[in-house]
Amino acid sequence: MTEFELIERIFSTLQDEQPSAGIEKAIGDDAAVMSLPTGARLVSCIDTLVQGRHFSADWDEVNELAFQIGYKAVAVNVSDIAAMGATPHSILLALALPERLANEQWLSGFAKGLHHACQLFGVTLIGGDTTRNDTLVLSVNAQGLLAANTNAVYRSGAKAGDKVYVSGTLGDAAYALNHPDSETGQQLAHRLHMPTPRIQLGASLAKTDATSMIDISDGLYQDLSHICQQSGVTMRIDIEKLPTSQPLLQVDEAERLLCQLTGGDDYELAFTLPADVELPASQLTNTQITCIGEVAATDSALQEPRPRLLYNGQAVTKEHPAPFTTLPSFTGYQHFIG
């Protein structure tokens, strides 16, 4: 099929009958047109997923996985919008497609996954581009809105004395990725392939005095390090308090904690709040929230702003690596390595 047949037969047929508010023109022209509510601000992000790097090189051989690829491409971008405290609004899709996938069965599964995520998260596909490539590459550009008198939550506002929180449970996706054939890995596979961005929590935190926020995509330790560096602070993180799902509790503690600290693909939110600020009500956020530590000032200009890990009150160091046998590297996912 030609590019235009592909767009018309697969994507245009999956458009919402009631698109996101303010969309004047979506698919079908050279560009989309949107009108913004008075006083609102536009929040934008983009993520690129590459076959063989962000998902298995053989995923295109199993058509039912096309749905998961379409879904996740939307979800990871919506998670970034949520981490700013914004409400997701619309997406643009750029799709570089191998010839072997230019068939109605695979594309229909992919488009249905993408459309399901759009419906679930309240966003509309408003346009994009398609081309051919030897491997599958897809980029999603997401837009969100910050209502008037609502503050974006950045990485740079954490202050000494703030409490550090995370949503949901950590490490599930990493374990499923590393152990796809194990019983526990199969139990947790949905956390890897179908993550849940915390939209309600992010929007609720934007209405509080939240001082910083980030979505956990590249590993908790690395992502908290971004907050530390942007805010010029350190953190004390009690790793025995990391929220854990029931299946992951059955895993060896050291392996579990390494997945939770470095694994990535959680798409939960990590954020900081002043100690005297109440958390948003659980019925508004639709997820559990766990306090895992506290923000601290750097001891000197020479101290690196990064998290300090504690286990049952004792610093995790090279000399005292417990619960690990030896001190591991806590580096998370590196996009330009490996």
PDB file of all heavy atoms in Angstrom, residues 221-235 295-308:
ATOM      1  N   TYR A 221      17.647   5.351  40.794  1.00  0.00           N
ATOM      2  CA  TYR A 221      18.851   6.051  41.256  1.00  0.00           C
ATOM      3  C   TYR A 221      19.275   7.128  40.260  1.00  0.00           C
ATOM      4  O   TYR A 221      19.559   8.270  40.638  1.00  0.00           O
ATOM      5  CB  TYR A 221      19.993   5.058  41.481  1.00  0.00           C
ATOM      6  CG  TYR A 221      21.228   5.700  42.072  1.00  0.00           C
ATOM      7  CD1 TYR A 221      21.382   5.807  43.449  1.00  0.00           C
ATOM      8  CD2 TYR A 221      22.233   6.216  41.256  1.00  0.00           C
ATOM      9  CE1 TYR A 221      22.505   6.418  44.001  1.00  0.00           C
ATOM     10  CE2 TYR A 221      23.357   6.826  41.796  1.00  0.00           C
ATOM     11  CZ  TYR A 221      23.489   6.921  43.169  1.00  0.00           C
ATOM     12  OH  TYR A 221      24.605   7.537  43.708  1.00  0.00           O
ATOM     13  N   GLN A 222      19.306   6.776  38.984  1.00  0.00           N
ATOM     14  CA  GLN A 222      19.743   7.739  37.969  1.00  0.00           C
ATOM     15  C   GLN A 222      18.759   8.900  37.862  1.00  0.00           C
ATOM     16  O   GLN A 222      19.160  10.066  37.736  1.00  0.00           O
ATOM     17  CB  GLN A 222      19.881   7.038  36.617  1.00  0.00           C
ATOM     18  CG  GLN A 222      20.328   7.951  35.493  1.00  0.00           C
ATOM     19  CD  GLN A 222      20.780   7.184  34.271  1.00  0.00           C
ATOM     20  OE1 GLN A 222      21.799   6.507  34.299  1.00  0.00           O
ATOM     21  NE2 GLN A 222      20.022   7.257  33.193  1.00  0.00           N
ATOM     22  N   ASP A 223      17.465   8.612  37.921  1.00  0.00           N
ATOM     23  CA  ASP A 223      16.484   9.681  37.777  1.00  0.00           C
ATOM     24  C   ASP A 223      16.448  10.589  39.008  1.00  0.00           C
ATOM     25  O   ASP A 223      16.295  11.806  38.876  1.00  0.00           O
ATOM     26  CB  ASP A 223      15.111   9.087  37.479  1.00  0.00           C
ATOM     27  CG  ASP A 223      15.033   8.515  36.064  1.00  0.00           C
ATOM     28  OD1 ASP A 223      15.673   9.095  35.168  1.00  0.00           O
ATOM     29  OD2 ASP A 223      14.361   7.490  35.859  1.00  0.00           O
ATOM     30  N   LEU A 224      16.612  10.021  40.210  1.00  0.00           N
ATOM     31  CA  LEU A 224      16.736  10.877  41.396  1.00  0.00           C
ATOM     32  C   LEU A 224      18.009  11.722  41.327  1.00  0.00           C
ATOM     33  O   LEU A 224      18.036  12.856  41.824  1.00  0.00           O
ATOM     34  CB  LEU A 224      16.734  10.037  42.668  1.00  0.00           C
ATOM     35  CG  LEU A 224      15.400   9.404  43.077  1.00  0.00           C
ATOM     36  CD1 LEU A 224      15.568   8.606  44.368  1.00  0.00           C
ATOM     37  CD2 LEU A 224      14.309  10.458  43.243  1.00  0.00           C
ATOM     38  N   SER A 225      19.040  11.175  40.704  1.00  0.00           N
ATOM     39  CA  SER A 225      20.280  11.945  40.535  1.00  0.00           C
ATOM     40  C   SER A 225      20.034  13.200  39.702  1.00  0.00           C
ATOM     41  O   SER A 225      20.641  14.253  39.942  1.00  0.00           O
ATOM     42  CB  SER A 225      21.357  11.083  39.875  1.00  0.00           C
ATOM     43  OG  SER A 225      21.757  10.012  40.709  1.00  0.00           O
ATOM     44  N   HIS A 226      19.130  13.110  38.708  1.00  0.00           N
ATOM     45  CA  HIS A 226      18.803  14.292  37.900  1.00  0.00           C
ATOM     46  C   HIS A 226      18.186  15.384  38.774  1.00  0.00           C
ATOM     47  O   HIS A 226      18.506  16.566  38.622  1.00  0.00           O
ATOM     48  CB  HIS A 226      17.841  13.913  36.779  1.00  0.00           C
ATOM     49  CG  HIS A 226      18.422  12.980  35.755  1.00  0.00           C
ATOM     50  ND1 HIS A 226      19.715  13.081  35.304  1.00  0.00           N
ATOM     51  CD2 HIS A 226      17.874  11.928  35.099  1.00  0.00           C
ATOM     52  CE1 HIS A 226      19.952  12.141  34.404  1.00  0.00           C
ATOM     53  NE2 HIS A 226      18.841  11.427  34.264  1.00  0.00           N
ATOM     54  N   ILE A 227      17.287  14.987  39.683  1.00  0.00           N
ATOM     55  CA  ILE A 227      16.702  15.973  40.591  1.00  0.00           C
ATOM     56  C   ILE A 227      17.785  16.578  41.480  1.00  0.00           C
ATOM     57  O   ILE A 227      17.842  17.793  41.679  1.00  0.00           O
ATOM     58  CB  ILE A 227      15.589  15.341  41.448  1.00  0.00           C
ATOM     59  CG1 ILE A 227      14.380  14.998  40.581  1.00  0.00           C
ATOM     60  CG2 ILE A 227      15.178  16.278  42.588  1.00  0.00           C
ATOM     61  CD1 ILE A 227      13.218  14.370  41.336  1.00  0.00           C
ATOM     62  N   CYS A 228      18.663  15.732  42.024  1.00  0.00           N
ATOM     63  CA  CYS A 228      19.744  16.228  42.885  1.00  0.00           C
ATOM     64  C   CYS A 228      20.624  17.231  42.152  1.00  0.00           C
ATOM     65  O   CYS A 228      20.954  18.295  42.687  1.00  0.00           O
ATOM     66  CB  CYS A 228      20.592  15.054  43.383  1.00  0.00           C
ATOM     67  SG  CYS A 228      19.781  13.999  44.601  1.00  0.00           S
ATOM     68  N   GLN A 229      20.995  16.901  40.923  1.00  0.00           N
ATOM     69  CA  GLN A 229      21.885  17.784  40.161  1.00  0.00           C
ATOM     70  C   GLN A 229      21.195  19.098  39.801  1.00  0.00           C
ATOM     71  O   GLN A 229      21.792  20.170  39.904  1.00  0.00           O
ATOM     72  CB  GLN A 229      22.357  17.047  38.902  1.00  0.00           C
ATOM     73  CG  GLN A 229      23.308  15.907  39.211  1.00  0.00           C
ATOM     74  CD  GLN A 229      23.387  14.875  38.098  1.00  0.00           C
ATOM     75  OE1 GLN A 229      22.838  15.062  37.019  1.00  0.00           O
ATOM     76  NE2 GLN A 229      24.057  13.764  38.372  1.00  0.00           N
ATOM     77  N   GLN A 230      19.932  19.013  39.365  1.00  0.00           N
ATOM     78  CA  GLN A 230      19.207  20.222  38.979  1.00  0.00           C
ATOM     79  C   GLN A 230      18.903  21.104  40.195  1.00  0.00           C
ATOM     80  O   GLN A 230      18.854  22.334  40.083  1.00  0.00           O
ATOM     81  CB  GLN A 230      17.899  19.844  38.285  1.00  0.00           C
ATOM     82  CG  GLN A 230      18.077  19.186  36.926  1.00  0.00           C
ATOM     83  CD  GLN A 230      18.474  20.169  35.844  1.00  0.00           C
ATOM     84  OE1 GLN A 230      18.108  21.340  35.901  1.00  0.00           O
ATOM     85  NE2 GLN A 230      19.222  19.708  34.868  1.00  0.00           N
ATOM     86  N   SER A 231      18.708  20.477  41.368  1.00  0.00           N
ATOM     87  CA  SER A 231      18.333  21.220  42.577  1.00  0.00           C
ATOM     88  C   SER A 231      19.528  21.569  43.456  1.00  0.00           C
ATOM     89  O   SER A 231      19.389  22.349  44.403  1.00  0.00           O
ATOM     90  CB  SER A 231      17.318  20.412  43.397  1.00  0.00           C
ATOM     91  OG  SER A 231      16.148  20.158  42.676  1.00  0.00           O
ATOM     92  N   GLY A 232      20.700  20.963  43.195  1.00  0.00           N
ATOM     93  CA  GLY A 232      21.876  21.224  44.018  1.00  0.00           C
ATOM     94  C   GLY A 232      21.753  20.662  45.419  1.00  0.00           C
ATOM     95  O   GLY A 232      22.157  21.307  46.395  1.00  0.00           O
ATOM     96  N   VAL A 233      21.188  19.448  45.526  1.00  0.00           N
ATOM     97  CA  VAL A 233      20.976  18.830  46.839  1.00  0.00           C
ATOM     98  C   VAL A 233      21.457  17.376  46.791  1.00  0.00           C
ATOM     99  O   VAL A 233      21.832  16.857  45.739  1.00  0.00           O
ATOM    100  CB  VAL A 233      19.476  18.841  47.227  1.00  0.00           C
ATOM    101  CG1 VAL A 233      18.978  20.271  47.377  1.00  0.00           C
ATOM    102  CG2 VAL A 233      18.631  18.074  46.198  1.00  0.00           C
ATOM    103  N   THR A 234      21.452  16.744  47.951  1.00  0.00           N
ATOM    104  CA  THR A 234      21.623  15.301  48.025  1.00  0.00           C
ATOM    105  C   THR A 234      20.325  14.709  48.576  1.00  0.00           C
ATOM    106  O   THR A 234      19.398  15.435  48.928  1.00  0.00           O
ATOM    107  CB  THR A 234      22.802  14.901  48.940  1.00  0.00           C
ATOM    108  OG1 THR A 234      22.493  15.302  50.287  1.00  0.00           O
ATOM    109  CG2 THR A 234      24.090  15.562  48.496  1.00  0.00           C
ATOM    110  N   MET A 235      20.273  13.400  48.609  1.00  0.00           N
ATOM    111  CA  MET A 235      19.116  12.713  49.189  1.00  0.00           C
ATOM    112  C   MET A 235      19.588  11.531  50.011  1.00  0.00           C
ATOM    113  O   MET A 235      20.614  10.906  49.690  1.00  0.00           O
ATOM    114  CB  MET A 235      18.179  12.198  48.085  1.00  0.00           C
ATOM    115  CG  MET A 235      17.457  13.250  47.289  1.00  0.00           C
ATOM    116  SD  MET A 235      16.433  12.488  46.004  1.00  0.00           S
ATOM    117  CE  MET A 235      15.693  13.943  45.270  1.00  0.00           C
ATOM    118  N   VAL A 295      15.305  14.781  51.378  1.00  0.00           N
ATOM    119  CA  VAL A 295      16.280  15.643  50.708  1.00  0.00           C
ATOM    120  C   VAL A 295      17.190  16.266  51.758  1.00  0.00           C
ATOM    121  O   VAL A 295      16.741  16.645  52.842  1.00  0.00           O
ATOM    122  CB  VAL A 295      15.575  16.744  49.901  1.00  0.00           C
ATOM    123  CG1 VAL A 295      16.599  17.668  49.227  1.00  0.00           C
ATOM    124  CG2 VAL A 295      14.635  16.131  48.865  1.00  0.00           C
ATOM    125  N   ALA A 296      18.486  16.345  51.439  1.00  0.00           N
ATOM    126  CA  ALA A 296      19.461  16.950  52.352  1.00  0.00           C
ATOM    127  C   ALA A 296      20.321  17.939  51.577  1.00  0.00           C
ATOM    128  O   ALA A 296      20.503  17.819  50.364  1.00  0.00           O
ATOM    129  CB  ALA A 296      20.336  15.880  52.995  1.00  0.00           C
ATOM    130  N   ALA A 297      20.856  18.920  52.287  1.00  0.00           N
ATOM    131  CA  ALA A 297      21.778  19.866  51.669  1.00  0.00           C
ATOM    132  C   ALA A 297      23.122  19.181  51.439  1.00  0.00           C
ATOM    133  O   ALA A 297      23.484  18.226  52.134  1.00  0.00           O
ATOM    134  CB  ALA A 297      21.963  21.082  52.575  1.00  0.00           C
ATOM    135  N   THR A 298      23.859  19.644  50.432  1.00  0.00           N
ATOM    136  CA  THR A 298      25.210  19.128  50.237  1.00  0.00           C
ATOM    137  C   THR A 298      26.099  19.621  51.380  1.00  0.00           C
ATOM    138  O   THR A 298      25.929  20.736  51.884  1.00  0.00           O
ATOM    139  CB  THR A 298      25.784  19.603  48.897  1.00  0.00           C
ATOM    140  OG1 THR A 298      25.687  21.028  48.832  1.00  0.00           O
ATOM    141  CG2 THR A 298      25.028  19.004  47.730  1.00  0.00           C
ATOM    142  N   ASP A 299      27.030  18.774  51.815  1.00  0.00           N
ATOM    143  CA  ASP A 299      27.891  19.121  52.940  1.00  0.00           C
ATOM    144  C   ASP A 299      28.916  20.190  52.583  1.00  0.00           C
ATOM    145  O   ASP A 299      29.391  20.929  53.432  1.00  0.00           O
ATOM    146  CB  ASP A 299      28.611  17.870  53.460  1.00  0.00           C
ATOM    147  CG  ASP A 299      27.629  16.868  54.066  1.00  0.00           C
ATOM    148  OD1 ASP A 299      26.560  17.304  54.518  1.00  0.00           O
ATOM    149  OD2 ASP A 299      27.930  15.668  54.057  1.00  0.00           O
ATOM    150  N   SER A 300      29.296  20.237  51.310  1.00  0.00           N
ATOM    151  CA  SER A 300      30.294  21.212  50.883  1.00  0.00           C
ATOM    152  C   SER A 300      30.171  21.403  49.390  1.00  0.00           C
ATOM    153  O   SER A 300      29.457  20.666  48.701  1.00  0.00           O
ATOM    154  CB  SER A 300      31.714  20.734  51.231  1.00  0.00           C
ATOM    155  OG  SER A 300      32.071  19.629  50.401  1.00  0.00           O
ATOM    156  N   ALA A 301      30.868  22.383  48.881  1.00  0.00           N
ATOM    157  CA  ALA A 301      30.847  22.652  47.445  1.00  0.00           C
ATOM    158  C   ALA A 301      31.459  21.503  46.653  1.00  0.00           C
ATOM    159  O   ALA A 301      31.229  21.369  45.451  1.00  0.00           O
ATOM    160  CB  ALA A 301      31.607  23.950  47.151  1.00  0.00           C
ATOM    161  N   LEU A 302      32.257  20.657  47.339  1.00  0.00           N
ATOM    162  CA  LEU A 302      32.923  19.544  46.660  1.00  0.00           C
ATOM    163  C   LEU A 302      32.075  18.279  46.650  1.00  0.00           C
ATOM    164  O   LEU A 302      32.384  17.340  45.921  1.00  0.00           O
ATOM    165  CB  LEU A 302      34.270  19.246  47.343  1.00  0.00           C
ATOM    166  CG  LEU A 302      35.299  20.379  47.320  1.00  0.00           C
ATOM    167  CD1 LEU A 302      36.549  19.962  48.090  1.00  0.00           C
ATOM    168  CD2 LEU A 302      35.655  20.763  45.890  1.00  0.00           C
ATOM    169  N   GLN A 303      31.006  18.233  47.440  1.00  0.00           N
ATOM    170  CA  GLN A 303      30.183  17.037  47.501  1.00  0.00           C
ATOM    171  C   GLN A 303      29.281  16.949  46.279  1.00  0.00           C
ATOM    172  O   GLN A 303      28.584  17.902  45.921  1.00  0.00           O
ATOM    173  CB  GLN A 303      29.332  17.017  48.777  1.00  0.00           C
ATOM    174  CG  GLN A 303      28.569  15.711  48.958  1.00  0.00           C
ATOM    175  CD  GLN A 303      27.739  15.718  50.227  1.00  0.00           C
ATOM    176  OE1 GLN A 303      27.350  16.771  50.722  1.00  0.00           O
ATOM    177  NE2 GLN A 303      27.481  14.539  50.758  1.00  0.00           N
ATOM    178  N   GLU A 304      29.300  15.801  45.638  1.00  0.00           N
ATOM    179  CA  GLU A 304      28.496  15.616  44.436  1.00  0.00           C
ATOM    180  C   GLU A 304      27.017  15.530  44.796  1.00  0.00           C
ATOM    181  O   GLU A 304      26.632  14.777  45.691  1.00  0.00           O
ATOM    182  CB  GLU A 304      28.929  14.336  43.721  1.00  0.00           C
ATOM    183  CG  GLU A 304      28.184  14.081  42.412  1.00  0.00           C
ATOM    184  CD  GLU A 304      28.596  12.787  41.753  1.00  0.00           C
ATOM    185  OE1 GLU A 304      29.476  12.085  42.305  1.00  0.00           O
ATOM    186  OE2 GLU A 304      28.024  12.462  40.708  1.00  0.00           O
ATOM    187  N   PRO A 305      26.157  16.284  44.114  1.00  0.00           N
ATOM    188  CA  PRO A 305      24.723  16.193  44.383  1.00  0.00           C
ATOM    189  C   PRO A 305      24.131  14.916  43.797  1.00  0.00           C
ATOM    190  O   PRO A 305      23.886  14.821  42.590  1.00  0.00           O
ATOM    191  CB  PRO A 305      24.155  17.444  43.701  1.00  0.00           C
ATOM    192  CG  PRO A 305      25.143  17.803  42.649  1.00  0.00           C
ATOM    193  CD  PRO A 305      26.481  17.334  43.137  1.00  0.00           C
ATOM    194  N   ARG A 306      23.919  13.942  44.617  1.00  0.00           N
ATOM    195  CA  ARG A 306      23.367  12.657  44.194  1.00  0.00           C
ATOM    196  C   ARG A 306      22.732  11.967  45.398  1.00  0.00           C
ATOM    197  O   ARG A 306      22.958  12.364  46.547  1.00  0.00           O
ATOM    198  CB  ARG A 306      24.459  11.761  43.599  1.00  0.00           C
ATOM    199  CG  ARG A 306      25.584  11.403  44.569  1.00  0.00           C
ATOM    200  CD  ARG A 306      26.597  10.467  43.933  1.00  0.00           C
ATOM    201  NE  ARG A 306      27.712  10.180  44.813  1.00  0.00           N
ATOM    202  CZ  ARG A 306      27.715   9.273  45.780  1.00  0.00           C
ATOM    203  NH1 ARG A 306      26.610   8.547  46.010  1.00  0.00           N
ATOM    204  NH2 ARG A 306      28.773   9.067  46.536  1.00  0.00           N
ATOM    205  N   PRO A 307      21.930  10.932  45.159  1.00  0.00           N
ATOM    206  CA  PRO A 307      21.330  10.208  46.287  1.00  0.00           C
ATOM    207  C   PRO A 307      22.381   9.413  47.066  1.00  0.00           C
ATOM    208  O   PRO A 307      23.327   8.880  46.490  1.00  0.00           O
ATOM    209  CB  PRO A 307      20.332   9.257  45.607  1.00  0.00           C
ATOM    210  CG  PRO A 307      20.158   9.787  44.224  1.00  0.00           C
ATOM    211  CD  PRO A 307      21.444  10.441  43.863  1.00  0.00           C
ATOM    212  N   ARG A 308      22.199   9.354  48.386  1.00  0.00           N
ATOM    213  CA  ARG A 308      22.979   8.472  49.257  1.00  0.00           C
ATOM    214  C   ARG A 308      22.060   7.350  49.698  1.00  0.00           C
ATOM    215  O   ARG A 308      20.968   7.612  50.216  1.00  0.00           O
ATOM    216  CB  ARG A 308      23.496   9.234  50.492  1.00  0.00           C
ATOM    217  CG  ARG A 308      24.892   9.796  50.350  1.00  0.00           C
ATOM    218  CD  ARG A 308      25.007  10.829  49.255  1.00  0.00           C
ATOM    219  NE  ARG A 308      26.360  11.364  49.142  1.00  0.00           N
ATOM    220  CZ  ARG A 308      26.720  12.213  48.220  1.00  0.00           C
ATOM    221  NH1 ARG A 308      25.862  12.646  47.326  1.00  0.00           N
ATOM    222  NH2 ARG A 308      27.970  12.654  48.157  1.00  0.00           N
TER     223      ARG A 308
END
